[in-house]
Every structure is written in structure tokens, then in C-alpha cells.
Amino acid sequence: MPNILIANGVNLDLLGRRPENIYGVGTLEDLEQYILTQLPVVEKAVGSALSLTFFQSNSDAEFLNKLSEGWDGAVLNPGAWTHTSLALADRLEALSLPFVEVHLSQVVKRERFRQRSFSAQYALGRIEGFGFHSYTLGLWALASHLTK
Ligand code: DQA
């Protein structure tokens, strides 16, 4: 059974208090519950049970170390680290961890400083702009890759 990390980076603990027009009203706990409700759908689609571990940290060291715990794959929303962290990119490259980069908001429509992603070049792909669905779509894509 694929062992999958679903990791949220800096400030995603504040979901529910961030601008509603961009991030919606749901909290991080709501997001994780939503993913769990959709898990049977994804498992049925890919024909395999999946083991999910949720993680969030505002500490870049914790976030980077978490990636090294032997996951089969990951769904990652690094938050602002997406646009700033060469350390994250270097680690993802070195680990060869299959991952999908996800974003709640449609980053491509936002500020210029968000247009660069250091991590996306190492991802299987990137899904953005679908709110909570970005994560389940990302999970589906990742699980399809891992079980093919
Ligand atoms: C985000 C987009 C980032 O630009 C931002 O810094 C976040 C959240 C998203 O999910 O839309 O914190 O990753």
C-alpha cells in the first residue's frame, strides 16, 4: 500500500483566517477531513488502498526533514516556500521523491513574485486553483503514478 505524505508548509495552519476570496473559509482541519472523505473515491479509481499522513509546519527545517521519512510519494503545498526556497528544491531533487505540487489559489493569476516555483520542476505535475479539490486531484494523479 503506497505510503503518502500530504504536507502543508508555512502559514497553511492559518487557513480559515486568510483572505477568503483567495483561500475560502475552510480550516486546515476541514481540508484534511475533506481529503479523508474523498479517499475511498481515489482508492477505488486507482484500485489500491492508500496510507495517508498529514503534516503541516511553519518551520522549514521540520518541513525539509519530514520529506526524508521514506514516503512512496507526496502531495505538497509548500505555501510561500514555493517561491523562495532553493533548499526545498535541492532536497526534492536529491530525494527523487515522486510528488505533486498543489495550490489552493490559481497562482498564475496572482502577483508577479508568486510566478516562480523553485519546487515545480521536480514535481510530477502541479495542480492549482481548485481550492480543496487541488489536493484530491493531486492525490489521484500521484496515486495513479504510484500504482501504474
Ligand atoms: C499557496 C500560494 C502561495 O503563493 C502562498 O504563499 C500560500 C498558499 C496556495 O495554496 O494557493 O501560502 O501555496
Side-chain angles (χ1 to χ4, degrees):
M1 172 171 27
N3 204 9
I4 295 173
L5 174 68
I6 302 198
N8 282 293
V10 62
N11 292 328
L12 288 155
D13 57 326
L14 293 180
L15 281 181
R17 293 167 58 187
R18 299 187 71 178
E20 193 180 317
N21 58 328
I22 300 173
Y23 297 111
V25 293
T27 64
L28 181 60
E29 198 187 328
D30 295 336
L31 168 61
E32 293 177 352
Q33 284 307 316
Y34 168 75
I35 295 168
L36 287 177
T37 65
Q38 298 302 302
L39 180 59
V41 179
V42 178
E43 288 178 324
K44 191 167 178 204
V46 301
S48 170
L50 305 170
S51 167
L52 301 187
T53 299
F54 295 108
F55 177 76
Q56 188 279 331
S57 183
N58 294 324
S59 152
D60 53 354
E62 277 179 20
F63 193 82
L64 295 180
N65 287 335
K66 195 70 182 177
L67 301 177
S68 301
E69 292 181 4
W71 311 102
D72 295 312
V75 175
L76 301 182
N77 183 352
W81 291 328
T82 308
H83 320 298
T84 60
S85 181
L86 183 55
L88 174 61
D90 281 350
R91 194 169 192 88
L92 289 166
E93 180 184 30
L95 292 175
S96 298
L97 174 68
F99 77 99
V100 176
E101 180 176 310
V102 300
H103 299 282
L104 294 152
S105 64
Q106 196 172 1
V107 177
V108 74
K109 285 189 180 165
R110 299 182 63 192
E111 304 93 328
R112 241 180 112 88
F113 57 81
R114 293 184 202 276
Q115 299 313 314
R116 177 175 202 173
S117 168
F118 283 97
S119 37
Q121 64 185 304
Y122 302 112
L124 297 169
R126 172 169 147 141
I127 297 174
E128 63 173 58
F130 295 102
F132 285 3
H133 303 301
S134 293
Y135 290 74
T136 46
L137 294 169
L139 178 62
W140 191 325
L142 174 71
S144 301
H145 172 84
L146 295 175
T147 57
K148 77 177 172 221

